Amino acid sequence: IARIVERFGLGRSGQGRESLDAFVDEMASRTAKDWLAMARGHERARHSVLRAIRVAADGSWVRRPTAAGLRQLIDLNLGSFIAPGRELLEATTIPVWALQPEEGDYDGGFAAFSELAQQRPGWSARTLEGGMHVVHTHREEVLEQLRSLLETLPD
């Protein structure tokens, strides 16, 4: 938790516009280069950082989540969704499939995953027209991709 808090400036706070702008610029510069953040380019990273900051009426601000909030988010239970990091994927020996929307802020990790998938038997990295809501807007195409992947499984 401490490494993630430091890496993304979680829980950092300040007072006034000047300190907020300095923090956002610092974090956007770091985030734009961070493969884990998946925000490529300074403007995308800046937008991503700004979305997670809450500014109060008195001008004070805080980057969310805080360390305490992060602890709550990672209080794992069997029903939690976990997105694997690259280290976990590289150590995985079972087939992994990824179906990536072509539109949206996803470009950072997919190219690396696609390269990894090409080296692994049974792995698949495919793209699909649409954005983050593609499972709702292009249901038939998603189902067709899934059917196609399932047909590659041995009997």
Side-chain angles (χ1 to χ4, degrees), residues 69-150:
L70 185 58
R71 281 187 194 91
Q72 289 177 329
L73 289 172
I74 65 169
D75 182 19
L76 300 179
N77 61 55
L78 295 178
S80 295
F81 171 77
I82 301 172
R86 183 172 176 91
E87 296 87 358
L88 179 59
L89 285 171
E90 287 176 346
T92 301
T93 58
I94 61 171
V96 176
W97 300 343
L99 186 56
Q100 174 76 40
E102 289 178 346
E103 300 167 19
D105 195 14
Y106 310 110
D107 56 1
F110 188 71
F113 175 79
S114 184
E115 288 175 23
L116 185 60
Q118 290 174 12
Q119 302 166 16
R120 304 285 178 98
W123 286 41
S124 179
R126 299 180 183 191
T127 58
L128 188 65
E129 185 178 318
M132 68 183 283
H133 299 292
V134 72
V135 295
H136 305 292
T137 60
H138 296 77
R139 286 174 42 174
E140 287 304 315
E141 289 90 342
V142 171
L143 288 172
E144 184 53 39
Q145 288 285 343
L146 291 173
R147 282 186 200 106
S148 173
L149 284 166
L150 290 171

